[in-house]
Every structure is written in C-alpha cells, then in structure tokens.
Amino acid sequence: MLSTKFAIPDIIFGHGSITHLPQCARRLGAKRVLFVSDSGLEEAGWVELVKGILKANNMDCVYFSDVNSNPRDCQVHEGAELYEKENCDVIVALGGGSPMDAAKGIGVIVGNGGKISDYEGANKIKRPLPPMILVPSTAGSSSDISQYCIITDMEREVKMSIISRTLVPNISIIDPQILVTQSRSLILAAAADALAHAIESYVSKLASPFTEIQALKAIELIINNIGPAADTKSIQAMEQLSIASTAAGMSFSNAGLGSLHAIAHSLGGICDVLHGWVHPVLLTSVMRYNMPSCMGKMAQVGQIIAGSRICPDTRSAELGINHLEDLFKSFDLNTELRHLVPDKTMLESICKTATNDACNLTNPRLAEWQDLMTICEEAW
Amino acid sequence: MVMDQTTLTDLIGIEHTKLGFFQELQKTIEELKASHEESESQRREIAAILDGITDIMMVLSEDLRIISVNHEFEKLFGKEDQFKGEYCYKVFRQSNKACAECPAFNSLSTNTVCKDIATFRVNNQNRQFEMIASPLKSPNLSENRVLIFKRDVTLEKEYQAKYYQAEKMATVGTLATGVAHEVNNPLMAISGFAEGIQRRLAKYGDKLPQELAEDFECSTQIILKECNRCQDIVKSLLSFGHPCSSVFHIVFLNSLIEETIALVGFHLRRSANIKLTLDLTNNLHIKADEPQMKQVILNLLTNASDAIGEAPGELIVRTYPKDQDWVVLEVEDTGKGIDPAIRHKLFDPFFTTKPVGKGIGIGLSTCYNIVKDHHGEIEVISELGKGSKFIVSLPSHP
C-alpha cells in the first residue's frame, strides 16, 4: 500500500465570493495582474466585472484572452511573454478548463522558462510559479483545484498532461453565480467532465479514503442536479454542481484519473474535440472495461446513480452504467464516437498516444492500446 | 520527445509540494551574493588598475565638480572625501570660475578627446601637467561626465627646455666667445695706443699748449675707461659662453644685478621712456651659478622693458630678505600686464606673445629651470593694463 497525499488550494466558496478577488490578490502581492480569460466570458460581462473590481482596488490589469478550447502551447508562450513584458506579478484566470490551464502554463513558463513541452509529465517543474488565483466559470474541469495542466502541443498534435503539486493554485475562488451565464450545452459538458473525474478517481489505483468520500459525494450531487441545472439553470442546482465539481477536483487531483481521460486527451490533441463531449461517448465503455478490476466500487457508483437496491455487485454496477447511458441520451448528448472522430483509421494512433498519458497509469485495470481500441470500438 | 516513464509515486508526489518562493529567495540570495562577490572582486581589480595608474585621474560632472578621483590624486592633494563635489578649478587654481581653455569643456562640447598642457601650483610648487580629457557619455548616466588624466610632465619639460637651452647657449656662447675675442684685439690696440699717448703726454706734455695737453689727458682717460668697460662687457659675454659647467659660488645678489644691468643698461638707458629704479638691500648672499643667475635677471629685465614698450613706464628692481632663509628678487614693470588666460602657459617652453622673429619663447621657461636648479621659486603677479611683478625667491646663504 502506497502512502497517499491530499493537497488542495485555499478554497473560497460562496455566492458573490468573486468580490474577495482583490484582497486575495493583494495578499499575494499583486500590483499588476495578468488576467487570463476568454471571449465567452467577455460576452457574459464577467471580464469587465473583474477588470472593474481590480481597478477599483488600485491594481493594474493586463488582459490576455488569446485562449481557445484546448489551449495551445503557442498561446501559453504568448501569455508568458505578455506577463514578462508588462511586468505582471500575479496571475488571475477566470474561465473553464481552457483559460485556467492556459494560466497555469503561463505560470510555468514565467517561473521556469523554456518551452511548455519541457514540463510534460510529472514533477518536471523545479522552480516556483508566480502566485495564481483561479476563478472557475464552469462546474467541470476543476483545474482550479487540481495539480493538472493540459496543454496542446500543436506540432505533435498531443494534449500534454503536466502534473505537479506546484500547479495547484494558491487560491481558488468559486462563485456559483458565475455559472448561470453558461449555455445549456456547456453546463452539460462541464457536468459530464466532473462526473468522469469523480468516477475515474473513485476507482483509481491511488484512491484514498479522503478522495473516495469526495468522489462519492460529487457523483451523488451531479446525478441529482445535472437535470435541473441544464433545464432551469436554477441557482441552487448550480451551486450543488459547483460543490460537486470542486469535490471531484479534490478527488482526482490527489487520486488521479483513468483510461477515459487518457483517451479524451489524445482525442482532443488529434481532433480538437471539446473535452466535455468525450465523456458521454466513452465514460460508460471505460466503466464496463474497468468493472472486473473494481467490482465493489463500481457497484457503489451504480447504487448512487441508479438508486440503491439489494442485488449483487455486478448487477448494481451494470444498472448504474445503463442508467448513465440513458441519462446522457435524455439530454440529447451524443454518445457515439463516430461523431467525434472523422475517420476510424485514426483510432489506432489515438489509442497509442493515450497509453503514454499519465492518466492511464492509475486506471484500475491495465489497458494497452489494443484494450483502448476495444473500448473505442464499443463506443463507435 | 522521449519521456521518463511516469509512475504512480510520481503522481502522488509525496516529496513534491507547492513550491514556495522561500527556497527560490534563498537561491536568489545565494546567486546575488555570488554575483556580488564577483562584481566586488571585479571592482577591486579595476580599482587596483586605476590606482596603479601614475597619472592623476578625476571624473568630473558637467559643471566641473569632482565626482571621483584616484589614489594618485589623493597622494598629491589629500583624501577624496574633502574634494567630492568641489569645483575642479577651485582645487587646481584657487579660482572662482572655470579656466577659459578648459579641456574638459572642449571635450564635452566636441565629444572628442582633448589635450592641453598647463602649470599648476601644487604644494607651493609650480608643476606642469599634460591633461587629457575624454567625455564619458553613457546612456545610463543621467548627465554627461568627463574623465581627466593629469600627467606631471614637469621633468620632461625641464629636460626639453634644458636641451634647447643648452643648444641655444652653445650657439650664443660660440658667437659671444668669437665676438669677444675679435673685439678684444682692437680693444687691446686702442687701450695700448691710448696708454702710449698718455706716456708721451707725460714726457712731452709741456711742449704742448696747456689746454691741449689737458684735453688729450682727459680724452685718453675716457678712452681707457671706456676700453675697460668694453673689456668688462666682453668678459661678461664670455661668461655666457660656458653655461653647462654650472659652478655654484656664494655671490652677492646685488652685484649680479648691477653687472647684468651694465649689460642691458645701454638698451635701458637708450629708451628714454623707461625709468629704472633700483631698490636693493645690501649684503644678500646667495649660492648661485653666476652666469645662469645673470641670465635670469637679464631675461626678466628684457621682458619687463618689452612689456613697457614705447609708452613711458617704470621698471623697479628690488631685493630684500624674506623670513630667515630666503632672499627675494623682484622685477616689477608698469607695462601692459599678462592676460589671465595665458598666465598658466607663461613658463611653458616656446610660449611667447612676441611677434614672430622677436622671441622663441624660451626665456621664462629657462628662468624657471634655472631658478629651480637653485632650489628657488618663481612666481608672477600681474594685472592686465597695470603691469606685472616677477618674484624670484632663492635660498639665502648667510
């Protein structure tokens, strides 16, 4: 039994907690903030709001928004250059996984120099990063909690996983109000990602009691709130989802993920698919593949998803997976891989790349690239 | 890109933590210390190099205030602290405004390296310095600065002057000796015949009318007296002919002056406009090389009468004792005075205000050297349009 570790940032949670951003930034020594976000949040008005509160507190704000879904190495380098050129001190990111990961990448380059690809893998970062405050705008990626940073290497068409405890931001400010401006499809994609985080980290080889409890809680909250959140954007449901996503983040940051995320990363690198859309397609297939190695846990997950009943573990697990499939379909989410991958011949290279991803390490059942192919075939 | 295989232990990262700036700070402090030590040793090396330079070195601000100086400067003037922020011309010239020909200014305005030569009084001695001013224009300096090197070339200049002097004296000496010998023969003849006439007068004087005899007597006396005077002049000319063999004797200063005046007296007396006044104190002994000292006096007298020129004026020669150990010779004129702008060049060889052909500018520098050889000092006080006073102080010899 390996010793485990549980590390999370300072988490500030609550309605309107975004207003604490200036004082948090000041505590980290901010005079000139590099503010990373994207166009979606500009349209929703959140960018202006953050700029406004920084300005009102006498802090300069250098804005960087050249980030797209699946942030790219070149964008990270550009952001780092801007940080250097403008003499910024603290990095603030507002957004989903992409702006937050971009901000982390910028921090890595600012603190350590070189190219972002130099840090691919685990614990390659040797020097501290500038202080970071991350403000999630989706209840999904939980990059604001995790030690993961996923950046696309454009040349190799690979989504690199950069893993380091120093990538855990200094402060995460979670304000559920920011979630209400998301579109329905974004809410669903983010919730699917959070659910995948919870389930994968729960059955992960590195799961510990401290991560398991977070994972189970997250699964429960997502199953109960994903419907109302997508349909009515009820603020209560949103709040529950952001609690769920944060809990899932605490879990996967410390316990790791599995083959699903390995495939999702390589798929994102090669086909530039929105990360959240991969999970409704592959989650259930990966769960079925993993079942033999973690039947008890899968049954527990099944009980939470499909409601508890007295039956054998295998049955519980099966029921849960089937229920999950129906749930995705009920939201009109695409569950077929063929709609994400233009050409079936690409699968082999996608799966081979996925086996190199660090996420594949913690999968409860050993998965070679051929095994991943089987999973993909099933979901085709 | 080949990656090391990531392991589960890597993902747990027990020994990895959010990197704080504490270690980074410590590392930075270490690095800073190292680089500080490095730059400190570089600084020391440069300082050692600078202190090894035997020239006086100063860095001046644009308004000629001293910013920093080197070891050599401190040796000559004293510690740097008391000069920081002081005006350069105040330190070197005790003056309240910048020198007209200041090389530092030239260097700044033309942005080139400028050279100049000047005489400064350092520790009550006149020293000649060759100055090199180079502009220090640097983008990271708020204002321009000038780097000044001052090199003591007194000795070199002295040797140079001595060389020219020796050459000149050799020429003059040969000429004088030649002329003296040539003049001596007719003089001998004249005095011989005059004496012959006198002998005859003594013998046959009574054969002549009384009045005529007395006339002859008187005339021959005058001829003999004038002949003797001519012989004296020739003798003093001859003594000029041997300048190199400086032999120091104890001499009366006044007799030197009188003999020299006898030489130039003709010229002085001829210019009716100059009133020559002697204000001499008796019994002043000095240890001097007679011909050389005479040359100094001759030079000063000639310069003084040149300064007076055609206008009516007065030339005063004074001697008096100063303190216990000094004897002073002053040559004062009421001539046109010396322009302050050129005063520092007075004792430079070949510096002359005289029209071409009238002088080559060796006089005062020779004087300076001779006086120095006599362990004396020469200085000048002058007011433009009012006149000048050259003061030669010599060690007295009781």
Side-chain angles (χ1 to χ4, degrees):
Chain A
M1 173 70 188
L2 285 162
S3 304
T4 58
K5 181 169 179 169
F6 192 84
I8 55 171
D10 289 1
I11 298 168
I12 296 169
F13 183 90
H15 287 277
S17 54
I18 184 77
T19 52
H20 299 301
L21 175 63
Q23 72 215 60
C24 291
R26 181 160 295 127
R27 195 171 40 146
L28 296 175
K31 290 193 183 68
R32 197 168 169 79
V33 168
L34 180 75
F35 177 35
V36 184
S37 192
D38 67 17
S39 51
L41 287 144
E42 283 172 43
E43 281 158 32
W46 294 113
V47 169
E48 278 315 307
L49 178 103
V50 169
K51 281 184 183 173
I53 55 176
L54 287 174
K55 196 171 169 204
N57 286 273
N58 304 322
M59 278 179 237
D60 297 336
C61 171
V62 178
Y63 182 55
F64 179 73
S65 65
D66 187 10
V67 182
N68 53 357
S69 151
N70 298 330
R72 301 169 176 184
D73 46 6
C74 51
Q75 294 167 332
V76 166
H77 295 147
E78 219 175 292
E81 259 172 56
L82 183 70
Y83 178 103
E84 299 275 6
K85 195 182 85 188
E86 295 284 352
N87 287 320
C88 300
D89 36 35
V90 170
I91 300 177
V92 172
L94 166 71
S98 304
M100 290 198 283
D101 279 353
K104 285 181 173 185
I106 290 168
V108 172
I109 300 299
V110 165
N112 296 262
K115 302 190 303 294
I116 194 70
S117 56
D118 300 345
Y119 306 99
E120 186 178 0
N123 307 323
K124 296 271 167 43
I125 301 169
K126 299 296 176 224
R127 295 170 61 194
L129 316 191
M132 282 188 292
I133 301 175
L134 302 188
V135 186
S137 66
T138 60
S141 74
S142 294
S143 184
D144 55 299
I145 306 292
S146 78
Q147 60 160 337
Y148 287 72
C149 164
I150 315 293
I151 304 289
T152 306
D153 183 327
M154 294 305 287
E155 203 178 325
R156 290 183 296 144
E157 287 191 329
V158 175
K159 273 184 103 169
M160 300 177 285
S161 296
I162 301 162
I163 305 159
S164 165
R165 291 287 177 188
T166 208
L167 282 171
V168 175
N170 303 61
I171 301 171
S172 162
I173 298 177
I174 302 161
D175 187 343
Q177 279 182 342
I178 298 176
L179 306 179
V180 299
T181 53
Q182 295 175 97
S183 61
R184 178 177 185 271
S185 66
L186 192 55
I187 292 172
L188 288 171
D193 191 21
L195 184 61
H197 289 160
I199 294 170
E200 286 217 284
S201 63
Y202 180 62
V203 299
S204 151
K205 282 183 183 172
L206 291 182
S208 72
F210 311 101
T211 65
E212 285 163 356
I213 193 166
Q214 301 291 345
L216 291 176
K217 186 70 190 170
I219 297 168
E220 180 195 327
L221 289 175
I222 293 165
I223 294 298
N224 293 338
N225 291 286
I226 187 169
D231 297 332
T232 64
K233 294 195 190 175
S234 104
I235 187 75
Q236 286 80 13
M238 287 296 187
E239 192 177 327
Q240 297 306 304
L241 278 189
S242 65
I243 294 169
S245 135
T246 305
M250 292 180 194
S251 173
F252 91 81
S253 177
N254 294 292
L257 295 158
S259 297
L260 167 63
H261 265 85
I263 300 171
H265 289 159
S266 75
L267 201 65
I270 293 167
C271 306
D272 200 19
V273 182
L274 179 79
H275 181 69
W277 294 145
V278 182
H279 307 311
V281 173
L282 288 171
L283 176 56
T284 50
S285 310
V286 174
M287 284 166 81
R288 283 202 181 91
Y289 174 80
N290 284 336
M291 249 170 48
S293 306
C294 50
M295 192 55 83
K297 278 190 169 184
M298 233 19 132
Q300 270 181 296
V301 172
Q303 298 253 5
I304 293 170
I305 293 173
S308 55
R309 63 199 70 194
I310 298 163
C311 57
D313 281 357
T314 335
R315 182 76 192 122
S316 284
E318 284 283 357
L319 277 172
I321 294 168
N322 294 339
H323 190 92
L324 203 51
E325 271 176 342
D326 296 341
L327 187 73
F328 289 143
K329 286 199 176 104
S330 73
F331 294 126
D332 293 329
L333 292 173
N334 163 51
T335 54
E336 289 174 340
L337 191 56
R338 71 185 66 212
H339 297 300
L340 300 182
V341 183
D343 186 352
K344 203 168 180 177
T345 53
M346 294 167 89
L347 284 181
E348 189 176 321
S349 72
I350 288 171
C351 294
K352 281 182 173 168
T353 308
T355 52
N356 294 327
D357 193 288
C359 294
N360 208 38
L361 266 181
T362 44
N363 201 58
R365 184 177 169 191
L366 183 72
E368 301 289 357
W369 71 269
Q370 295 88 341
D371 306 322
L372 298 183
M373 282 292 280
T374 324
I375 292 169
C376 290
E377 292 283 356
E378 189 189 319
W380 187 256
Chain B
M1 187 172 123
V2 182
M3 278 190 356
D4 318 337
Q5 257 346 103
T6 309
T7 65
L8 291 180
T9 329
D10 288 330
L11 294 182
I12 298 168
I14 295 281
E15 72 278 23
H16 294 277
T17 164
K18 175 101 188 136
L19 293 168
F21 276 86
F22 180 65
Q23 295 112 312
E24 180 74 354
L25 197 63
Q26 280 187 309
K27 214 169 111 188
T28 312
I29 288 170
E30 288 303 314
E31 282 167 6
L32 278 176
K33 264 190 193 156
S35 80
H36 170 75
E37 268 164 32
E38 196 179 331
S39 54
E40 180 59 19
S41 77
Q42 269 182 340
R43 193 195 64 76
R44 275 198 295 264
E45 190 181 339
I46 288 168
I49 291 170
L50 290 183
D51 284 342
I53 291 171
T54 51
D55 298 0
I56 292 177
M57 209 182 80
M58 306 187 292
V59 178
L60 301 183
S61 62
E62 271 184 76
D63 58 353
L64 304 184
R65 283 175 186 272
I66 293 175
I67 293 171
S68 64
V69 300
N70 72 338
H71 203 61
E72 199 62 25
F73 181 100
E74 290 187 334
K75 265 206 303 205
L76 218 58
F77 291 92
K79 278 276 165 251
E80 180 181 48
D81 322 345
Q82 50 184 333
F83 292 103
K84 265 204 171 143
E86 197 56 87
Y87 288 108
C88 144
Y89 41 84
K90 203 156 174 143
V91 174
F92 281 88
R93 292 221 189 283
Q94 295 81 41
S95 140
N96 284 324
K97 56 181 200 296
C99 322
E101 283 300 297
C102 174
F105 269 149
N106 292 346
S107 157
L108 270 179
S109 57
T110 57
N111 204 13
T112 54
V113 175
C114 293
K115 289 186 181 179
D116 197 11
I117 223 169
T119 306
F120 299 112
R121 276 193 83 75
V122 178
N123 304 334
N124 284 328
Q125 282 189 318
N126 282 329
R127 314 280 313 168
Q128 280 187 305
F129 287 100
E130 192 173 65
M131 299 185 288
I132 297 174
S134 22
L136 290 179
K137 291 194 176 178
S138 141
N140 47 19
L141 281 177
S142 54
E143 58 150 18
N144 295 325
R145 296 178 170 186
V146 201
L147 176 67
I148 308 247
F149 283 96
K150 291 192 185 211
R151 189 142 156 253
D152 192 336
V153 291
T154 318
L155 264 182
E156 287 160 52
K157 290 279 167 194
E158 272 171 25
Y159 287 133
Q160 211 178 24
K162 272 187 184 154
Y163 168 74
Y164 288 120
Q165 176 63 10
E167 208 167 30
K168 196 186 78 168
M169 291 313 275
T171 317
V172 172
T174 323
L175 203 70
T177 319
V179 170
H181 283 301
E182 289 305 320
V183 171
N184 244 346
N185 293 340
L187 274 181
M188 293 301 286
I190 292 168
S191 63
F193 278 104
E195 281 169 7
I197 289 172
Q198 282 197 326
R199 277 200 304 276
R200 285 188 176 73
L201 271 178
K203 244 183 187 168
Y204 310 107
D206 43 3
K207 305 251 190 322
L208 292 173
Q210 172 89 26
E211 211 173 325
L212 189 63
E214 277 173 14
D215 271 357
F216 275 137
E217 179 65 35
C218 188
S219 296
T220 48
Q221 278 297 341
I222 289 173
I223 287 171
L224 280 176
K225 205 172 106 193
E226 292 300 311
C227 265
N228 285 339
R229 225 156 66 84
C230 279
Q231 273 166 335
D232 283 348
I233 291 170
V234 165
K235 217 185 283 173
S236 59
L237 266 180
L238 280 173
S239 69
F240 269 110
H242 313 285
C244 300
S245 56
S246 46
V247 184
F248 284 70
H249 299 289
I250 296 177
V251 291
F252 282 113
L253 181 57
N254 289 359
S255 56
L256 284 183
I257 293 169
E258 279 155 5
E259 282 169 37
T260 313
I261 286 177
L263 263 183
V264 285
F266 155 76
H267 167 76
L268 283 178
R269 275 194 298 276
R270 203 186 52 174
S271 43
N273 58 336
I274 298 179
K275 175 166 172 265
L276 177 68
T277 313
L278 297 182
D279 173 8
L280 308 179
T281 309
N282 280 329
N283 291 329
L284 294 177
H285 297 82
I286 54 166
K287 195 170 186 182
D289 174 25
E290 210 173 321
Q292 283 199 346
M293 214 62 226
K294 277 186 186 167
Q295 216 196 324
V296 171
I297 300 164
L298 182 69
N299 247 315
L300 294 179
L301 288 175
T302 315
N303 278 345
S305 76
D306 284 347
I308 294 167
E310 302 301 316
E314 192 177 6
L315 202 164
I316 307 158
V317 182
R318 280 192 204 88
T319 56
Y320 55 88
K322 189 175 83 174
D323 305 334
Q324 282 294 302
D325 335 327
W326 293 92
V327 170
V328 180
L329 154 71
E330 279 183 12
V331 178
E332 191 177 353
D333 67 65
T334 55
K336 51 177 182 277
I338 303 158
D339 187 343
I342 60 159
R343 210 166 295 168
H344 63 285
K345 293 187 178 163
L346 272 191
F347 299 101
D348 295 0
F350 308 114
F351 175 79
T352 181
T353 56
K354 292 175 185 166
V356 178
K358 279 290 277 188
I360 58 159
I362 202 89
L364 277 176
S365 79
T366 311
C367 287
Y368 174 80
N369 289 326
I370 294 172
V371 172
K372 244 189 104 301
D373 285 343
H374 286 71
H375 307 293
E377 273 293 314
I378 185 163
E379 56 191 307
V380 60
I381 299 171
S382 175
E383 204 173 332
L384 206 55
K386 289 255 177 85
S388 316
K389 187 200 283 185
F390 282 81
I391 304 161
V392 179
S393 312
L394 296 162
S396 75
H397 208 281

